[in-house]
């Protein structure tokens, strides 16, 4: 079979081909017989799980060490509020750390840390356990108790993992806020979950420069009187402001603390963390994950999808810990499985564009997991860059965050996987906690662009407006039709929003917010969001949230935001704004000023690629902005049906004010 060389098609066209045949990519890529022979999971797993999914998860939860056995796999008596492994007790940090040390694997490497500037640290399970015990003791000294929320705003360094696991160890749910979020966004999240402690660093390295984090925490805390302590890791050595009595250096506290700490077991449904994600309204949603089911889901999927061999694999999720991908597949999944991971602080092009491939070569990475936006960027930079390094250690490569276009899939498979490695295109969400739809690498014949089907233990479907399954060959909405262990339990502090957002569109079904189609074989192709949520470089952004940010600027009267297709980032933010009359034309730097304002309100990643100042916005007679038409403009397309517009001349007006348009 196709064990080596460049992509070996099993049907249809030959070679990597022209752009046209990539758009109509028909090839399938079954795993090599060698891969299949050694794979963790075989095709029988689907039937076994389908026969009784609760019995399946009952067995899979046995991957973890439980202090007390559960009495009931699933309590679904009050849907959509699930309880998994009812009555079971466990400690997440103990499962990720101590038990591996107790089993004699303390010297195994947990992380190869690679700083952006080339500084490195190798951290074993025994060392990581000690560090986490120290941090747990410090948090306890600071008065943190089980159930208290702790905010974490950190760069990609080992202490971030330590901070998360220390929280888990004492039962204090963490909320990690991605370091690219602004002080305002951090403050909103601290308020929403009422965190009393913040863990941060002076800064982190970004494109060769120290980028401040503590300064943003200081700014956020001007309006967070309830935060009593800030624990600060020294990473860059940059100057920081200091508030005595509140701010504490990590090296003066954690690193001086005892390495002994007893990990108390918590209920399976004890909150593990809250992760904020954008929804269709301006207010981010705090997605709540709990302990037993989440850890079971991460451990199983990490083992099954990546065919993990914990003894020999070197796993690398090239994502930030500040997103769910990092939580599940840098921290909880790999550690629960006792795996060795790479943790890389920086950007792919610092100090040079071969940085990732150099890291893979250096640590002999076997499993790589990253986002299509990165793959497309590497395509643009050219194959000559990865070709300079040995990628021979890679045996499986994965993709996550947005649909991977067939051209990028083929390039990834050929240029990075050398036509040898299975590619797993994994669909999931912050809410699902773990991967849901993905090929099984030893089983599935991959189709470029398709996420294929639900993993064993999960059940998904594509339904029409009435919630009825669509036939093969048709499109509709992606739903999960039965509960799964790592599912979100609620939106923090807002059960009603949990029910209305996910479980009301189609009663009894979990509505993911994505459009999808079933192909003629019944395989699933995820098409993208069907709501006002954009996906920019694999980051979820809300159109409404950016619109609110724009109108909070004093010169803006109205704003409409759309996600326009972008070759590199998947989608890009394009904003249309109407200025207040007293602002005139806003002056020469109006666009710059507004982009900066969005960065301040939300974060740099939310800055619009383009801002058009317009005189009118297209509205229906009932006053609803027709974003569909604005999208046509932003994507430079023929403008669609305008008959429902209150004033049909508006579109001509907007179009004529666009750069390069007549
Ligand atoms: C949204 C979830 C899951 C971790 C990263 C993003 C899109 C995710 C895929 C994929 C097509 C995908 C969906 C989903 N998405 N993976 N393999 N193919 N689309 O997590 O920020 O919660 O975003 O990302 O639209 O709903 P997130």
């Amino acid at each position: 079979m196709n064990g080596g060389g460049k992509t070996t098609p099993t049907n249809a066209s030959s070679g990597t081909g022209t752009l046209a045949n990539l758009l109509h990519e028909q090839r399938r890529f079954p795993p090599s017989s060698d891969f299949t022979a050694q794979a963790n999971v075989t095709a029988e797993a689907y039937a076994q799980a389908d026969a009784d999914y609760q019995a399946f998860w009952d067995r899979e939860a046995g991957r973890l060490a439980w202090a007390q056995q559960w009495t009931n796999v699933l309590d679904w008596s009050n849907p959509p509020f699930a309880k998994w492994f009812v009555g079971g007790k466990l400690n997440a940090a103990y499962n990720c750390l101590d038990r591996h040390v107790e089993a004699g694997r303390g010297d195994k490497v947990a992380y190869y840390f690679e700083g952006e500037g080339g500084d490195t640290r190798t951290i074993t399970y025994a060392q990581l356990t000690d560090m986490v015990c120290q941090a747990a003791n410090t948090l306890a000294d600071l008065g943190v108790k089980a159930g208290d929320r702790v905010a974490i705003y950190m760069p990609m360094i080992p202490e971030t993992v330590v901070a998360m696991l220390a929280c888990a160890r004492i039962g204090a749910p963490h909320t990690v806020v991605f370091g690219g979020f602004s002080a305002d966004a951090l403050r909103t999240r601290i308020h929403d979950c009422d965190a009393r402690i913040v863990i941060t660093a002076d800064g982190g390295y970004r494109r060769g420069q120290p980028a401040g984090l503590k300064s943003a925490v200081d700014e956020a805390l001007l309006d967070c009187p309830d935060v009593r302590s800030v624990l600060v890791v020294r990473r860059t050595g940059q100057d920081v402001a200091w508030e005595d009595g509140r701010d504490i250096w990590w090296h003066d506290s954690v690193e001086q603390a005892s390495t002994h700490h007893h990990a108390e077991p918590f209920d399976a449904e004890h909150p593990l963390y809250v992760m904020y994600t954008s929804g269709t309204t301006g207010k981010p949603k705090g997605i709540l994950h709990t302990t037993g089911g989440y850890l079971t889901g991460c451990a199983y999927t990490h083992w099954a999808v990546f065919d993990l061999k914990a003894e020999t694999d070197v796993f690398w999720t090239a994502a930030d810990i500040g997103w769910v991908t990092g939580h599940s597949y840098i921290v909880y999944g790999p550690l629960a499985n006792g795996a060795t991971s790479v943790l890389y602080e920086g950007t792919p092009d610092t100090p040079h564009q071969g940085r990732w491939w150099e890291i893979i070569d250096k640590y002999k990475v076997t499993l790589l997991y990253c986002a299509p936006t990165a793959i497309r960027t590497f395509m643009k930079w050219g194959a000559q860059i990865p070709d300079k390094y040995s990628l021979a250690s890679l045996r499986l490569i994965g993709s996550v965050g947005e649909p991977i276009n067939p051209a990028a899939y083929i390039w990834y498979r050929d240029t990075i996987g050398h036509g040898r490695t299975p590619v797993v295109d994994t669909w999931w969400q912050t809410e699902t906690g773990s991967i849901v739809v993905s090929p099984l690498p030893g089983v599935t014949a991959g189709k470029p662009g398709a996420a294929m089907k639900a993993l064993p233990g999960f059940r998904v479907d594509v339904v029409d407006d009435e919630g009825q399954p669509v036939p093969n060959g048709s499109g509709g909405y992606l739903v999960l039709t039965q509960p799964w262990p790592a599912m979100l339990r609620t939106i923090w502090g807002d059960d009603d929003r949990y029910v209305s957002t996910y479980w009301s569109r189609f009663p009894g079904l979990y509505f993911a917010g994505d459009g999808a189609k079933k192909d003629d074989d019944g395989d699933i192709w995820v098409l993208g969001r069907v709501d006002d949520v954009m996906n920019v470089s694999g980051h979820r952004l809300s159109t409404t949230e950016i619109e609110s940010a724009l109108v909070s600027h004093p010169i803006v009267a109205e704003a409409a935001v759309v996600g326009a297709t972008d070759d590199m980032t998947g989608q890009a933010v394009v904003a249309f704004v109407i200025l207040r009359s007293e602002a005139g034309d806003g002056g020469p730097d109006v666009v710059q000023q507004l982009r900066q304002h969005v960065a301040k309100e939300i974060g740099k990643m939310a800055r619009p690629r383009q801002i058009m100042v317009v005189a009118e916005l297209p509205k229906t007679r009932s006053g609803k902005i027709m974003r569909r038409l604005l999208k046509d403009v932003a994507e430079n397309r023929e403008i669609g049906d305008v008959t429902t517009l209150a004033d049909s001349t508006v579109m001509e007006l907007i179009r004529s004010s666009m750069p390069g348009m007549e």
Side-chain angles (χ1 to χ4, degrees):
M1 296 191 59
N2 54 328
K6 295 278 162 170
T7 50
T8 314
T10 54
N11 64 3
S13 58
S14 61
T16 313
T18 62
L19 183 63
N21 82 27
L22 288 177
L23 289 174
H24 305 283
E25 182 58 63
Q26 292 294 318
R27 287 174 292 169
R28 307 281 185 93
F29 300 102
S32 68
S33 47
D34 288 353
F35 195 99
T36 298
Q38 59 81 63
N40 287 349
V41 187
T42 60
E44 285 77 68
Y46 291 112
Q48 279 166 10
D50 278 352
D52 184 344
Y53 77 97
Q54 295 191 26
F56 172 84
W57 288 115
D58 191 43
R59 281 192 303 277
E60 292 303 334
R63 293 177 180 280
L64 306 180
W66 295 78
Q68 186 173 305
Q69 181 70 18
W70 55 95
T71 51
N72 193 355
V73 180
L74 170 65
D75 175 356
W76 192 235
S77 60
N78 180 29
F81 298 95
K83 291 189 180 131
W84 281 87
F85 308 114
V86 182
K89 285 189 190 300
L90 77 170
N91 185 289
Y94 174 82
N95 270 280
C96 289
L97 301 166
D98 310 56
R99 66 165 172 148
H100 304 311
V101 179
E102 288 167 13
R105 294 192 297 271
D107 291 338
K108 186 167 169 53
V109 174
Y111 292 105
Y112 290 116
F113 169 69
E114 180 85 20
E116 194 189 64
D119 55 316
T120 63
R121 287 158 77 184
T122 298
I123 299 174
T124 65
Y125 273 90
Q127 290 167 334
L128 192 63
T129 305
D130 284 352
M131 293 162 82
V132 169
C133 286
Q134 290 182 307
N137 282 321
T138 300
L139 290 177
D141 287 347
L142 292 173
V144 182
K145 295 192 186 52
D148 295 351
R149 275 79 62 204
V150 175
I152 299 178
Y153 186 67
M154 299 273 272
M156 282 282 289
I157 56 176
E159 284 77 7
T160 309
V161 180
V162 173
M164 290 165 71
L165 292 174
C167 289
R169 194 171 185 94
I170 63 175
H174 52 72
T175 187
V176 180
V177 179
F178 172 57
F181 276 114
S182 66
D184 285 5
L186 174 63
R187 180 196 305 132
T188 312
R189 286 155 177 78
I190 290 172
H191 281 171
D192 189 75
C193 70
D194 192 19
R196 304 297 172 94
I197 306 279
V198 179
I199 307 179
T200 188
D202 48 0
Y205 290 102
R206 212 72 198 154
R207 301 194 189 282
Q209 297 297 321
L213 290 167
K214 171 69 161 63
S215 52
V217 172
D218 291 336
E219 193 186 329
L221 295 194
L222 291 175
D223 193 20
C224 298
D226 294 333
V227 171
R228 56 176 190 272
S229 308
V230 180
L231 196 49
V232 189
V233 175
R234 185 142 71 199
R235 168 66 183 143
T236 60
Q238 67 199 96
D239 282 341
V240 288
W242 205 254
E243 193 172 309
D244 287 327
R246 186 195 72 182
D247 299 346
I248 307 141
W249 282 114
W250 179 277
H251 54 263
D252 286 340
S253 52
V254 175
E255 288 174 13
Q256 312 305 322
S258 163
T259 54
H260 293 283
H261 181 271
H262 172 69
E264 182 198 333
F266 294 100
D267 192 271
E269 284 298 338
H270 189 79
L272 181 62
Y273 70 81
V274 177
M275 159 74 50
Y276 285 87
T277 188
S278 296
T280 52
T281 70
K283 189 173 182 275
K285 303 177 283 196
I287 303 301
L288 175 67
H289 285 293
T290 61
T291 308
Y294 174 77
L295 211 55
T296 299
C298 289
Y300 170 71
T301 54
H302 181 243
W303 173 84
V305 172
F306 301 105
D307 190 50
L308 179 81
K309 307 291 189 278
E311 293 309 313
T312 47
D313 275 320
V314 178
F315 180 74
W316 184 18
T317 292
D320 197 284
I321 290 181
W323 305 108
V324 76
T325 309
H327 279 49
S328 298
Y329 299 106
I330 297 177
V331 182
Y332 288 109
L335 293 179
N337 287 333
T340 296
S341 290
V342 168
L343 184 64
Y344 173 53
E345 178 187 28
T347 47
D349 55 355
T350 307
H352 57 81
Q353 293 180 336
R355 195 74 173 97
W356 278 28
W357 322 118
E358 179 181 71
I359 290 172
I360 289 173
D361 195 350
K362 176 173 176 185
Y363 296 106
K364 304 295 169 226
V365 171
T366 57
L367 311 168
L368 173 67
Y369 192 34
C370 68
T373 184
I375 298 166
R376 290 191 297 266
T377 305
F378 297 135
M379 275 175 84
K380 187 176 75 180
W381 293 345
Q384 75 285 356
I385 295 171
D387 282 353
K388 281 191 275 194
Y389 302 89
S390 169
L391 306 180
S393 54
L394 287 174
R395 64 181 198 89
L396 180 150
I397 56 182
S399 163
V400 60
E402 52 174 316
I404 179 165
N405 42 312
Y409 181 109
I410 296 289
W411 188 89
Y412 193 33
R413 191 177 192 282
D414 277 352
T415 309
I416 305 307
H418 293 174
R420 241 181 338 103
T421 62
V423 175
V424 287
D425 173 7
T426 63
W427 177 89
W428 58 296
Q429 313 177 288
T430 305
E431 292 87 341
T432 67
S434 71
I435 298 170
V436 173
V437 183
S438 165
L440 273 177
V443 177
T444 314
K447 277 180 201 173
M452 306 303 290
K453 58 182 185 167
L455 290 169
F458 298 85
R459 196 167 279 184
V460 306
D461 210 335
V462 179
V463 300
D464 62 19
D465 279 316
E466 274 69 55
Q468 295 306 313
V470 301
N472 289 354
S474 306
Y477 306 99
L478 188 64
V479 295
L480 279 92
T481 64
Q482 70 191 19
W484 64 103
M487 65 191 276
L488 77 166
R489 297 302 193 261
T490 190
I491 292 175
W492 185 262
D494 201 343
D495 287 350
D496 291 346
R497 192 175 178 196
Y498 167 63
V499 176
S500 64
T501 306
Y502 304 107
W503 298 93
S504 300
R505 177 80 172 74
F506 306 111
L509 304 176
Y510 171 86
F511 172 50
D514 281 314
K517 72 169 189 209
K518 284 187 211 164
D519 67 15
D520 292 336
D521 305 321
D523 291 323
I524 289 172
W525 297 64
V526 181
L527 302 172
R529 304 292 307 190
V530 293
D531 51 14
D532 288 333
V533 173
M534 291 169 287
N535 189 325
V536 179
S537 298
H539 296 166
R540 205 201 283 196
L541 295 171
S542 147
T543 52
T544 329
E545 202 179 343
I546 301 175
E547 286 168 3
S548 313
L550 285 166
V551 295
S552 75
H553 192 284
I555 66 170
V556 176
E558 251 191 290
V561 164
V562 296
T565 304
D566 184 280
D567 284 347
M568 276 311 131
T569 59
Q571 284 188 308
V573 181
V574 177
F576 297 81
V577 298
I578 302 178
L579 300 182
R580 291 180 186 225
S581 55
E582 61 270 27
D585 69 357
D589 58 354
V590 59
V591 168
Q592 215 28 51
Q593 215 182 324
L594 293 179
R595 289 184 81 233
Q596 190 46 40
H597 182 69
V598 173
K600 183 187 165 297
E601 292 286 309
I602 303 172
K604 279 188 186 158
M605 67 281 182
R607 275 181 313 200
R609 180 187 73 185
Q610 271 169 291
I611 298 182
M612 331 273 183
V613 177
V614 294
E616 291 291 345
L617 288 169
K619 290 190 184 153
T620 60
R621 284 171 201 98
S622 61
K624 197 168 159 10
I625 295 174
M626 292 188 73
R627 290 194 183 76
R628 171 174 64 77
L629 299 177
L630 293 173
K631 215 170 143 135
D632 289 341
V633 175
E635 294 178 347
N636 202 4
R637 248 197 323 266
E638 187 106 347
I639 291 168
D641 184 9
V642 294
T643 48
T644 53
L645 278 181
D647 174 0
S648 62
T649 61
V650 167
M651 288 317 294
E652 285 157 40
L653 208 72
I654 292 177
R655 189 126 227 190
S656 64
S657 64
M658 302 278 298
M661 304 282 163
E662 326 270 280

